[in-house]
Amino acid sequence: MSSQEAACVVLDIGKTNSKLSLLGQDGRVLEERRRPNVVLQGGPYPHLDVEGLWPWMLQTLRELAATARITAIVPVTHGATAALIDEQGLTLPVLDYEFTPPEDRYRSQRPAFAETQSPKLPAGLNLGRQLAWLAEAFPAEFARTRQVLMYPQYWAWRFCGVAASELTSLGCHTDLWSPQARHFSSLVEAKGWQDKFPPLQSAWATLGPLLPEIAAVTGLGPDCRVICGIHDSNASLLRYLQASEPITVLSTGTWVIAAALGGQAPLDERQDMLANVDVHGRPVPCMRFMGGREFGALAGGEPAAFSVADLQTLVHRQTLALPCFAEAGGPFAGQAGRIEGPAPETPAERTALATLYSALMTDYCLTSLNARGPVIVEGSFSRNALFGPLLAALRPGQAVCVSDDSSGTTCGGWMLQHWGTQPPASHQPAVALPLPGLTSYRQQWHEKLPMS
Protein backbone atom coordinates (compact mmCIF):
# COMPACT_ATOMS: atom_id res chain seq x y z
CA MET A 1 0.00 0.00 0.00
CA SER A 2 1.27 3.47 -0.86
CA SER A 3 2.22 5.59 2.13
CA GLN A 4 0.20 8.38 0.50
CA GLU A 5 -3.02 6.38 0.37
CA ALA A 6 -5.59 7.53 2.96
CA ALA A 7 -6.78 5.15 5.67
CA CYS A 8 -8.41 5.21 9.09
CA VAL A 9 -7.68 3.31 12.29
CA VAL A 10 -10.48 1.73 14.29
CA LEU A 11 -9.55 1.22 17.92
CA ASP A 12 -11.73 -1.70 19.08
CA ILE A 13 -11.48 -2.38 22.83
CA GLY A 14 -13.49 -5.44 23.84
CA LYS A 15 -13.60 -6.94 27.31
CA THR A 16 -11.13 -9.71 26.41
CA ASN A 17 -8.93 -8.21 23.66
CA SER A 18 -8.01 -4.86 22.17
CA LYS A 19 -7.52 -4.49 18.43
CA LEU A 20 -6.23 -1.76 16.15
CA SER A 21 -7.40 -2.13 12.55
CA LEU A 22 -6.13 -0.14 9.58
CA LEU A 23 -8.90 0.25 7.00
CA GLY A 24 -8.66 1.58 3.49
CA GLN A 25 -11.02 4.03 1.83
CA ASP A 26 -13.17 1.12 0.64
CA GLY A 27 -13.49 -0.38 4.14
CA ARG A 28 -11.09 -3.28 3.59
CA VAL A 29 -8.97 -4.26 6.59
CA LEU A 30 -5.37 -3.69 5.53
CA GLU A 31 -3.60 -4.52 8.77
CA GLU A 32 -4.67 -5.61 12.24
CA ARG A 33 -2.90 -5.76 15.60
CA ARG A 34 -4.23 -7.38 18.80
CA ARG A 35 -3.39 -7.31 22.48
CA PRO A 36 -5.04 -9.13 25.42
CA ASN A 37 -6.71 -6.88 27.95
CA VAL A 38 -5.65 -7.09 31.58
CA VAL A 39 -7.55 -6.33 34.78
CA LEU A 40 -5.17 -5.08 37.46
CA GLN A 41 -5.92 -6.32 40.98
CA GLY A 42 -3.76 -3.85 42.90
CA GLY A 43 -4.88 -0.42 44.05
CA PRO A 44 -8.22 0.45 45.59
CA TYR A 45 -10.23 -2.01 43.43
CA PRO A 46 -9.84 -4.13 40.26
CA HIS A 47 -9.33 -1.76 37.34
CA LEU A 48 -8.56 -1.70 33.64
CA ASP A 49 -4.95 -1.42 32.52
CA VAL A 50 -5.37 1.78 30.51
CA GLU A 51 -1.76 2.80 31.10
CA GLY A 52 -0.63 -0.52 29.66
CA LEU A 53 -2.83 -0.04 26.60
CA TRP A 54 -1.70 3.51 25.89
CA PRO A 55 1.96 2.89 24.92
CA TRP A 56 0.87 -0.14 22.87
CA MET A 57 -1.58 2.08 20.98
CA LEU A 58 1.04 4.75 20.33
CA GLN A 59 3.66 2.25 19.14
CA THR A 60 1.13 0.44 16.92
CA LEU A 61 -0.01 3.73 15.40
CA ARG A 62 3.61 4.63 14.70
CA GLU A 63 4.08 1.33 12.86
CA LEU A 64 0.85 1.72 10.90
CA ALA A 65 1.69 5.34 10.02
CA ALA A 66 4.70 4.01 8.11
CA THR A 67 2.37 2.14 5.73
CA ALA A 68 -0.47 4.62 5.14
CA ARG A 69 -1.62 8.21 5.55
CA ILE A 70 -3.94 7.85 8.54
CA THR A 71 -6.64 10.51 8.41
CA ALA A 72 -8.86 9.46 11.33
CA ILE A 73 -8.95 7.47 14.58
CA VAL A 74 -12.28 5.94 15.64
CA PRO A 75 -12.68 4.50 19.16
CA VAL A 76 -15.13 1.60 19.68
CA THR A 77 -15.34 -0.03 23.12
CA HIS A 78 -17.40 -2.25 25.38
CA GLY A 79 -19.99 -0.69 27.64
CA ALA A 80 -20.56 -0.41 31.41
CA THR A 81 -17.30 1.53 31.78
CA ALA A 82 -16.50 5.16 32.53
CA ALA A 83 -13.38 7.18 33.19
CA LEU A 84 -13.38 9.97 35.78
CA ILE A 85 -10.99 12.79 34.86
CA ASP A 86 -9.84 16.26 35.76
CA GLU A 87 -7.45 18.52 33.82
CA GLN A 88 -4.47 16.28 34.60
CA GLY A 89 -6.04 12.91 33.80
CA LEU A 90 -7.74 10.14 35.75
CA THR A 91 -8.91 11.01 39.24
CA LEU A 92 -9.58 7.32 39.97
CA PRO A 93 -8.62 4.08 38.19
CA VAL A 94 -11.14 2.85 35.56
CA LEU A 95 -13.28 0.38 37.49
CA ASP A 96 -13.69 -3.13 36.03
CA TYR A 97 -17.41 -3.84 35.56
CA GLU A 98 -16.97 -7.42 36.81
CA PHE A 99 -16.13 -6.07 40.27
CA THR A 100 -19.11 -6.08 42.65
CA PRO A 101 -19.38 -2.82 44.59
CA PRO A 102 -21.19 -2.91 47.92
CA GLU A 103 -24.93 -2.56 47.39
CA ASP A 104 -25.33 0.16 50.03
CA ARG A 105 -28.42 2.20 49.22
CA TYR A 106 -28.26 1.85 45.47
CA ARG A 107 -31.12 -0.62 45.13
CA SER A 108 -33.54 2.00 46.49
CA GLN A 109 -31.95 4.82 44.49
CA ARG A 110 -31.95 3.36 40.97
CA PRO A 111 -34.81 4.40 38.65
CA ALA A 112 -37.62 2.05 37.69
CA PHE A 113 -37.16 -0.20 34.66
CA ALA A 114 -40.02 1.64 32.92
CA GLU A 115 -37.93 4.83 32.96
CA THR A 116 -34.52 3.55 31.91
CA GLN A 117 -35.34 0.15 30.30
CA SER A 118 -32.17 -0.94 32.07
CA PRO A 119 -32.52 -4.14 34.16
CA LYS A 120 -30.90 -4.61 37.54
CA LEU A 121 -27.68 -6.41 36.68
CA PRO A 122 -25.00 -8.13 38.77
CA ALA A 123 -21.57 -6.74 39.63
CA GLY A 124 -20.96 -3.30 38.10
CA LEU A 125 -22.87 -3.87 34.86
CA ASN A 126 -25.18 -0.98 35.78
CA LEU A 127 -22.77 1.93 35.43
CA GLY A 128 -24.87 4.04 37.77
CA ARG A 129 -24.06 1.61 40.58
CA GLN A 130 -20.34 2.05 39.89
CA LEU A 131 -20.60 5.84 40.01
CA ALA A 132 -22.73 5.83 43.17
CA TRP A 133 -20.19 3.62 44.97
CA LEU A 134 -17.20 5.63 43.78
CA ALA A 135 -18.87 8.84 44.97
CA GLU A 136 -19.44 7.36 48.44
CA ALA A 137 -16.17 5.44 48.81
CA PHE A 138 -13.87 8.12 47.37
CA PRO A 139 -15.62 11.44 48.02
CA ALA A 140 -12.55 13.67 47.58
CA GLU A 141 -11.57 12.13 44.24
CA PHE A 142 -15.15 12.17 43.00
CA ALA A 143 -15.56 15.82 43.99
CA ARG A 144 -12.36 16.64 42.10
CA THR A 145 -13.69 14.91 38.98
CA ARG A 146 -14.54 17.44 36.30
CA GLN A 147 -15.79 15.02 33.63
CA VAL A 148 -17.31 11.54 33.56
CA LEU A 149 -16.43 10.06 30.18
CA MET A 150 -17.89 6.94 28.64
CA TYR A 151 -15.11 4.55 27.64
CA PRO A 152 -15.00 5.31 23.87
CA GLN A 153 -14.96 9.03 24.60
CA TYR A 154 -12.19 8.61 27.16
CA TRP A 155 -9.90 7.33 24.44
CA ALA A 156 -11.04 10.07 22.07
CA TRP A 157 -10.20 12.62 24.77
CA ARG A 158 -6.72 11.15 25.24
CA PHE A 159 -6.04 11.55 21.52
CA CYS A 160 -7.50 15.03 20.97
CA GLY A 161 -8.15 16.63 24.38
CA VAL A 162 -11.87 17.26 23.71
CA ALA A 163 -14.42 15.81 26.16
CA ALA A 164 -17.78 14.57 24.89
CA SER A 165 -20.71 12.33 25.80
CA GLU A 166 -22.44 10.00 23.34
CA LEU A 167 -25.82 8.26 23.36
CA THR A 168 -25.00 4.61 22.66
CA SER A 169 -22.74 4.28 25.71
CA LEU A 170 -24.95 6.44 27.93
CA GLY A 171 -27.95 4.28 27.07
CA CYS A 172 -26.22 0.91 27.52
CA HIS A 173 -27.93 -0.54 30.69
CA THR A 174 -26.42 2.26 32.76
CA ASP A 175 -29.45 3.51 34.78
CA LEU A 176 -28.23 6.96 33.66
CA TRP A 177 -30.42 7.55 30.59
CA SER A 178 -34.14 7.56 29.80
CA PRO A 179 -34.49 6.27 26.20
CA GLN A 180 -38.10 7.35 25.72
CA ALA A 181 -37.63 10.83 27.17
CA ARG A 182 -34.18 11.16 25.57
CA HIS A 183 -32.48 12.81 28.53
CA PHE A 184 -30.62 11.88 31.70
CA SER A 185 -32.50 9.73 34.17
CA SER A 186 -33.90 10.79 37.52
CA LEU A 187 -30.86 9.15 39.16
CA VAL A 188 -28.48 11.64 37.51
CA GLU A 189 -30.72 14.52 38.54
CA ALA A 190 -31.08 13.26 42.13
CA LYS A 191 -27.31 12.84 42.46
CA GLY A 192 -26.57 16.20 40.86
CA TRP A 193 -24.24 14.63 38.30
CA GLN A 194 -25.49 16.47 35.20
CA ASP A 195 -22.59 18.91 35.12
CA LYS A 196 -20.03 16.09 35.23
CA PHE A 197 -21.14 14.80 31.83
CA PRO A 198 -19.71 16.80 28.91
CA PRO A 199 -21.95 17.91 26.03
CA LEU A 200 -23.53 15.26 23.82
CA GLN A 201 -21.96 14.69 20.43
CA SER A 202 -22.99 12.36 17.61
CA ALA A 203 -20.98 9.15 17.39
CA TRP A 204 -19.71 10.20 13.96
CA ALA A 205 -18.77 13.76 14.99
CA THR A 206 -15.17 14.90 14.64
CA LEU A 207 -14.12 16.05 18.10
CA GLY A 208 -10.90 17.63 16.91
CA PRO A 209 -7.50 17.05 15.36
CA LEU A 210 -4.88 14.88 17.00
CA LEU A 211 -2.99 16.58 19.82
CA PRO A 212 0.38 17.86 18.54
CA GLU A 213 2.34 15.80 21.07
CA ILE A 214 0.52 12.61 19.97
CA ALA A 215 1.19 13.43 16.32
CA ALA A 216 4.88 13.86 17.13
CA VAL A 217 5.14 10.53 18.97
CA THR A 218 3.20 8.49 16.40
CA GLY A 219 4.26 10.15 13.16
CA LEU A 220 0.63 10.81 12.24
CA GLY A 221 -0.25 14.03 10.46
CA PRO A 222 -1.50 16.98 12.53
CA ASP A 223 -4.71 16.94 10.49
CA CYS A 224 -5.63 13.38 11.61
CA ARG A 225 -9.22 13.61 12.90
CA VAL A 226 -10.44 11.99 16.13
CA ILE A 227 -14.02 10.71 15.89
CA CYS A 228 -16.31 10.70 18.95
CA GLY A 229 -16.80 6.90 18.92
CA ILE A 230 -19.44 4.35 19.84
CA HIS A 231 -20.43 1.38 22.02
CA ASP A 232 -19.28 -1.81 20.27
CA SER A 233 -22.62 -3.62 19.91
CA ASN A 234 -24.14 -0.48 18.45
CA ALA A 235 -21.30 -0.31 15.95
CA SER A 236 -22.46 -3.70 14.67
CA LEU A 237 -25.94 -2.26 14.09
CA LEU A 238 -24.92 0.68 11.91
CA ARG A 239 -25.07 -0.97 8.51
CA TYR A 240 -28.60 -2.26 9.24
CA LEU A 241 -30.27 0.89 10.61
CA GLN A 242 -31.73 1.79 7.22
CA ALA A 243 -33.50 -1.57 6.77
CA SER A 244 -37.15 -1.10 5.79
CA GLU A 245 -38.27 -4.36 7.45
CA PRO A 246 -37.56 -5.81 10.91
CA ILE A 247 -34.16 -7.44 11.23
CA THR A 248 -32.28 -8.94 14.17
CA VAL A 249 -28.55 -8.42 14.53
CA LEU A 250 -26.65 -10.90 16.67
CA SER A 251 -23.50 -9.20 17.94
CA THR A 252 -21.13 -11.87 19.28
CA GLY A 253 -17.97 -11.69 21.32
CA THR A 254 -17.51 -11.84 25.08
CA TRP A 255 -21.24 -11.02 25.09
CA VAL A 256 -23.86 -12.30 22.66
CA ILE A 257 -26.44 -9.55 22.16
CA ALA A 258 -29.56 -9.98 20.06
CA ALA A 259 -30.80 -6.56 18.89
CA ALA A 260 -34.27 -6.55 17.32
CA LEU A 261 -34.39 -3.57 14.96
CA GLY A 262 -38.04 -2.80 14.37
CA GLY A 263 -38.96 -5.02 17.33
CA GLN A 264 -42.03 -4.38 19.46
CA ALA A 265 -41.84 -7.14 22.12
CA PRO A 266 -42.45 -6.17 25.76
CA LEU A 267 -39.21 -6.34 27.73
CA ASP A 268 -38.83 -8.54 30.83
CA GLU A 269 -36.02 -7.21 32.99
CA ARG A 270 -35.79 -10.54 34.88
CA GLN A 271 -34.64 -12.14 31.59
CA ASP A 272 -31.82 -9.59 31.03
CA MET A 273 -33.92 -7.93 28.35
CA LEU A 274 -33.30 -4.24 27.88
CA ALA A 275 -33.36 -1.39 25.42
CA ASN A 276 -30.05 -0.21 24.11
CA VAL A 277 -29.96 3.14 22.33
CA ASP A 278 -28.84 3.52 18.72
CA VAL A 279 -26.75 6.40 17.35
CA HIS A 280 -29.90 8.44 16.71
CA GLY A 281 -31.15 7.98 20.28
CA ARG A 282 -33.84 5.42 19.44
CA PRO A 283 -34.42 2.49 21.82
CA VAL A 284 -33.62 -0.97 20.40
CA PRO A 285 -35.08 -4.06 22.17
CA CYS A 286 -32.24 -6.40 23.13
CA MET A 287 -31.54 -9.62 25.01
CA ARG A 288 -28.15 -11.04 25.84
CA PHE A 289 -26.00 -13.56 27.60
CA MET A 290 -22.25 -13.80 28.19
CA GLY A 291 -21.86 -16.18 25.25
CA GLY A 292 -18.17 -15.82 24.47
CA ARG A 293 -17.20 -16.33 28.11
CA GLU A 294 -19.51 -19.36 28.40
CA PHE A 295 -18.23 -20.83 25.12
CA GLY A 296 -14.70 -20.66 26.48
CA ALA A 297 -15.71 -22.28 29.76
CA LEU A 298 -17.29 -25.21 27.91
CA ALA A 299 -14.69 -25.60 25.15
CA GLY A 300 -11.79 -25.32 27.58
CA GLY A 301 -8.58 -23.57 26.61
CA GLU A 302 -8.13 -23.19 22.87
CA PRO A 303 -11.23 -24.30 20.89
CA ALA A 304 -10.55 -27.42 18.84
CA ALA A 305 -11.65 -28.18 15.30
CA PHE A 306 -14.85 -30.22 15.27
CA SER A 307 -17.25 -31.70 12.74
CA VAL A 308 -20.93 -32.39 12.15
CA ALA A 309 -20.21 -35.92 13.35
CA ASP A 310 -19.15 -34.52 16.76
CA LEU A 311 -22.41 -32.60 17.00
CA GLN A 312 -24.36 -35.68 15.98
CA THR A 313 -22.62 -37.77 18.66
CA LEU A 314 -23.63 -35.31 21.37
CA VAL A 315 -27.22 -35.12 20.12
CA HIS A 316 -27.45 -38.92 19.96
CA ARG A 317 -26.03 -39.29 23.49
CA GLN A 318 -28.29 -36.50 24.81
CA THR A 319 -25.30 -34.68 26.30
CA LEU A 320 -26.77 -31.38 27.46
CA ALA A 321 -25.01 -28.24 28.69
CA LEU A 322 -27.45 -26.30 30.88
CA PRO A 323 -26.97 -22.64 31.89
CA CYS A 324 -25.09 -20.88 32.93
CA PHE A 325 -21.30 -20.90 32.77
CA ALA A 326 -20.57 -17.23 33.49
CA GLU A 327 -21.08 -15.21 36.63
CA ALA A 328 -22.70 -12.19 35.02
CA GLY A 329 -25.70 -11.44 32.85
CA GLY A 330 -28.18 -13.43 30.82
CA PRO A 331 -31.61 -14.88 31.54
CA PHE A 332 -30.17 -17.50 33.92
CA ALA A 333 -27.69 -15.37 35.83
CA GLY A 334 -26.91 -16.83 39.22
CA GLN A 335 -27.64 -20.41 38.17
CA ALA A 336 -24.80 -22.94 38.23
CA GLY A 337 -24.11 -24.46 34.81
CA ARG A 338 -23.96 -28.22 34.53
CA ILE A 339 -23.60 -30.99 31.96
CA GLU A 340 -26.17 -33.79 31.89
CA GLY A 341 -25.64 -37.06 30.11
CA PRO A 342 -22.32 -38.58 29.02
CA ALA A 343 -19.51 -36.04 29.27
CA PRO A 344 -17.73 -35.01 26.06
CA GLU A 345 -14.74 -37.25 25.51
CA THR A 346 -12.44 -35.20 23.26
CA PRO A 347 -11.48 -31.54 22.74
CA ALA A 348 -13.52 -31.64 19.51
CA GLU A 349 -16.61 -32.81 21.39
CA ARG A 350 -16.11 -30.11 24.03
CA THR A 351 -16.03 -27.41 21.35
CA ALA A 352 -19.03 -29.00 19.63
CA LEU A 353 -20.93 -28.91 22.95
CA ALA A 354 -19.98 -25.25 23.42
CA THR A 355 -21.39 -24.53 19.94
CA LEU A 356 -24.61 -26.45 20.67
CA TYR A 357 -25.04 -24.57 23.93
CA SER A 358 -24.40 -21.19 22.31
CA ALA A 359 -26.88 -21.91 19.52
CA LEU A 360 -29.56 -23.09 21.97
CA MET A 361 -29.09 -20.04 24.20
CA THR A 362 -29.25 -17.77 21.16
CA ASP A 363 -32.41 -19.52 19.98
CA TYR A 364 -33.91 -19.06 23.46
CA CYS A 365 -33.12 -15.33 23.42
CA LEU A 366 -34.50 -14.82 19.91
CA THR A 367 -37.76 -16.53 20.85
CA SER A 368 -38.08 -14.56 24.11
CA LEU A 369 -37.41 -11.33 22.22
CA ASN A 370 -39.99 -12.25 19.56
CA ALA A 371 -37.29 -11.48 17.01
CA ARG A 372 -38.67 -10.99 13.51
CA GLY A 373 -37.09 -10.88 10.09
CA PRO A 374 -33.72 -12.34 9.18
CA VAL A 375 -31.06 -12.91 11.83
CA ILE A 376 -27.57 -11.62 10.96
CA VAL A 377 -24.67 -13.17 12.87
CA GLU A 378 -21.89 -10.61 13.40
CA GLY A 379 -18.64 -10.86 15.32
CA SER A 380 -16.55 -13.75 16.59
CA PHE A 381 -19.20 -16.48 16.22
CA SER A 382 -19.21 -15.85 12.47
CA ARG A 383 -15.83 -17.61 12.39
CA ASN A 384 -17.44 -20.79 13.73
CA ALA A 385 -18.46 -22.52 10.47
CA LEU A 386 -21.22 -24.60 12.09
CA PHE A 387 -22.80 -22.05 14.43
CA GLY A 388 -24.89 -20.32 11.73
CA PRO A 389 -26.11 -23.57 10.10
CA LEU A 390 -26.96 -24.97 13.56
CA LEU A 391 -28.92 -21.83 14.49
CA ALA A 392 -30.73 -22.03 11.13
CA ALA A 393 -31.69 -25.64 11.92
CA LEU A 394 -33.11 -24.54 15.29
CA ARG A 395 -35.15 -21.75 13.66
CA PRO A 396 -36.60 -23.24 10.45
CA GLY A 397 -39.08 -20.40 10.01
CA GLN A 398 -36.50 -17.63 10.09
CA ALA A 399 -33.65 -16.85 7.71
CA VAL A 400 -30.19 -16.85 9.29
CA CYS A 401 -27.27 -15.12 7.60
CA VAL A 402 -23.62 -15.02 8.63
CA SER A 403 -21.50 -11.93 8.11
CA ASP A 404 -18.35 -12.26 6.00
CA ASP A 405 -16.81 -9.72 8.38
CA SER A 406 -15.88 -11.34 11.69
CA SER A 407 -15.88 -7.89 13.32
CA GLY A 408 -19.03 -5.87 12.71
CA THR A 409 -17.60 -3.36 15.15
CA THR A 410 -14.72 -2.62 12.78
CA CYS A 411 -17.07 -1.97 9.88
CA GLY A 412 -19.18 0.23 12.14
CA GLY A 413 -16.11 2.25 13.09
CA TRP A 414 -15.26 2.72 9.42
CA MET A 415 -18.83 3.93 8.79
CA LEU A 416 -18.49 6.62 11.45
CA GLN A 417 -15.47 8.05 9.68
CA HIS A 418 -17.32 7.85 6.34
CA TRP A 419 -20.72 8.86 7.74
CA GLY A 420 -23.43 8.69 5.11
CA THR A 421 -21.66 5.92 3.17
CA GLN A 422 -23.42 2.55 3.21
CA PRO A 423 -21.01 -0.38 2.76
CA PRO A 424 -22.15 -3.28 0.59
CA ALA A 425 -23.90 -6.19 2.28
CA SER A 426 -21.38 -8.75 3.43
CA HIS A 427 -23.32 -11.73 4.68
CA GLN A 428 -24.27 -15.11 3.29
CA PRO A 429 -27.33 -17.28 4.01
CA ALA A 430 -26.68 -20.14 6.42
CA VAL A 431 -28.00 -23.46 5.17
CA ALA A 432 -29.76 -25.35 7.97
CA LEU A 433 -27.66 -28.23 9.23
CA PRO A 434 -29.31 -31.65 8.77
CA LEU A 435 -28.93 -33.10 12.26
CA PRO A 436 -31.29 -35.99 13.07
CA GLY A 437 -32.70 -35.77 16.57
CA LEU A 438 -32.03 -32.05 16.98
CA THR A 439 -35.70 -31.20 17.56
CA SER A 440 -36.06 -33.65 20.46
CA TYR A 441 -32.64 -32.58 21.79
CA ARG A 442 -33.85 -28.97 21.83
CA GLN A 443 -37.04 -30.01 23.63
CA GLN A 444 -35.06 -31.92 26.27
CA TRP A 445 -32.82 -28.90 26.79
CA HIS A 446 -35.83 -26.60 27.33
CA GLU A 447 -37.47 -29.01 29.76
CA LYS A 448 -34.36 -29.07 31.94
CA LEU A 449 -33.73 -25.33 31.99
CA PRO A 450 -33.44 -23.84 35.49
CA MET A 451 -35.93 -21.28 36.63
CA SER A 452 -34.75 -17.89 35.45
Side-chain angles (χ1 to χ4, degrees):
M1 177 177 181
S2 166
S3 61
Q4 298 306 305
E5 188 172 343
C8 74
V9 168
V10 174
L11 169 61
D12 183 359
I13 302 180
K15 190 60 172 69
T16 306
N17 293 292
S18 291
K19 181 175 66 174
L20 262 67
S21 299
L22 182 70
L23 287 86
Q25 289 289 84
D26 58 359
R28 288 181 301 113
V29 176
L30 305 171
E31 291 194 51
E32 185 178 282
R33 309 288 174 85
R34 291 175 178 266
R35 178 188 189 274
N37 286 336
V38 176
V39 174
L40 301 177
Q41 300 300 322
Y45 45 75
H47 57 281
L48 305 187
D49 185 19
V50 298
E51 297 309 327
L53 275 175
W54 182 240
W56 172 77
M57 290 180 192
L58 296 180
Q59 177 60 32
T60 303
L61 286 170
R62 186 172 186 84
E63 293 168 3
L64 295 177
T67 69
R69 182 169 58 86
I70 297 172
T71 60
I73 296 173
V74 188
V76 181
T77 82
H78 60 77
T81 303
L84 281 59
I85 64 166
D86 62 11
E87 292 83 354
Q88 280 70 50
L90 290 173
T91 57
L92 284 164
V94 179
L95 183 62
D96 173 31
Y97 71 58
E98 293 188 78
F99 171 71
T100 301
E103 187 77 28
D104 296 329
R105 294 169 293 165
Y106 187 69
R107 183 187 294 265
S108 62
Q109 294 173 336
R110 64 186 301 267
F113 181 73
E115 179 188 347
T116 62
Q117 296 184 313
S118 175
K120 182 181 184 297
L121 298 174
L125 284 166
N126 295 121
L127 184 56
R129 182 179 179 185
Q130 294 184 37
L131 296 181
W133 178 70
L134 290 171
E136 291 184 6
F138 306 95
E141 292 85 348
F142 197 88
R144 197 173 77 241
T145 297
R146 296 293 302 274
Q147 311 273 6
V148 175
L149 301 181
M150 300 298 100
Y151 205 33
Q153 287 70 55
Y154 167 69
W155 291 108
W157 171 78
R158 287 202 70 160
F159 279 109
C160 72
V162 177
S165 296
E166 190 275 328
L167 290 172
T168 63
S169 292
L170 273 176
C172 172
H173 52 79
T174 61
D175 292 340
L176 301 173
W177 190 256
S178 176
Q180 301 292 349
R182 299 195 176 200
H183 61 58
F184 285 107
S185 72
S186 55
L187 173 70
V188 176
E189 296 171 357
K191 294 287 192 181
W193 292 341
Q194 301 97 313
D195 291 344
K196 290 189 181 294
F197 290 94
L200 280 168
Q201 297 278 4
S202 298
W204 60 87
T206 296
L207 296 187
L210 202 64
L211 289 168
E213 58 268 32
I214 305 300
V217 168
T218 60
L220 299 179
D223 59 343
C224 177
R225 298 184 296 133
V226 179
I227 308 299
C228 182
I230 190 170
H231 171 230
D232 54 9
S233 295
N234 272 278
S236 294
L237 295 185
L238 288 182
R239 71 168 81 184
Y240 306 107
L241 290 181
Q242 303 304 317
S244 57
E245 299 293 331
I247 190 171
T248 301
V249 179
L250 196 67
S251 174
T252 65
T254 301
W255 290 90
V256 172
I257 303 174
L261 296 170
Q264 301 283 329
L267 300 178
D268 181 356
E269 63 176 316
R270 297 167 300 176
Q271 292 269 300
D272 204 353
M273 298 172 76
L274 63 148
N276 277 333
V277 175
D278 73 12
V279 288
H280 302 296
R282 300 171 299 199
V284 179
C286 295
M287 188 170 179
R288 65 196 198 136
F289 65 104
M290 211 169 191
R293 182 72 56 80
E294 295 194 78
F295 186 98
L298 283 164
E302 198 68 27
F306 70 101
S307 66
V308 176
D310 295 309
L311 293 170
Q312 188 65 71
T313 296
L314 296 169
V315 169
H316 176 73
R317 288 181 190 158
Q318 292 287 290
T319 298
L320 302 169
L322 296 161
C324 62
F325 299 90
E327 294 182 1
F332 303 102
Q335 303 288 342
R338 70 187 193 278
I339 295 174
E340 285 205 357
E345 297 176 354
T346 65
E349 287 185 5
R350 286 196 294 272
T351 305
L353 183 62
T355 302
L356 272 166
Y357 174 82
S358 301
L360 285 163
M361 279 294 294
T362 299
D363 171 57
Y364 179 91
C365 290
L366 293 172
T367 298
S368 300
L369 198 57
N370 193 26
R372 298 181 295 150
V375 176
I376 313 293
V377 181
E378 294 270 2
S380 61
F381 279 19
S382 68
R383 295 193 294 266
N384 185 327
L386 293 179
F387 175 80
L390 186 54
L391 185 61
L394 291 167
R395 304 190 68 78
Q398 192 168 27
V400 175
C401 298
V402 179
S403 175
D404 296 337
D405 176 6
S406 63
S407 176
T409 54
T410 300
C411 176
W414 177 87
M415 288 181 67
L416 292 182
Q417 197 252 337
H418 295 271
W419 193 245
T421 301
Q422 186 71 18
S426 64
H427 51 263
Q428 300 296 325
V431 178
L433 198 64
L435 206 62
L438 182 62
T439 300
S440 61
Y441 182 88
R442 177 181 184 269
Q443 182 177 343
Q444 285 289 319
W445 187 81
H446 275 268
E447 289 175 356
K448 293 178 179 292
L449 285 176
M451 294 295 292
S452 60

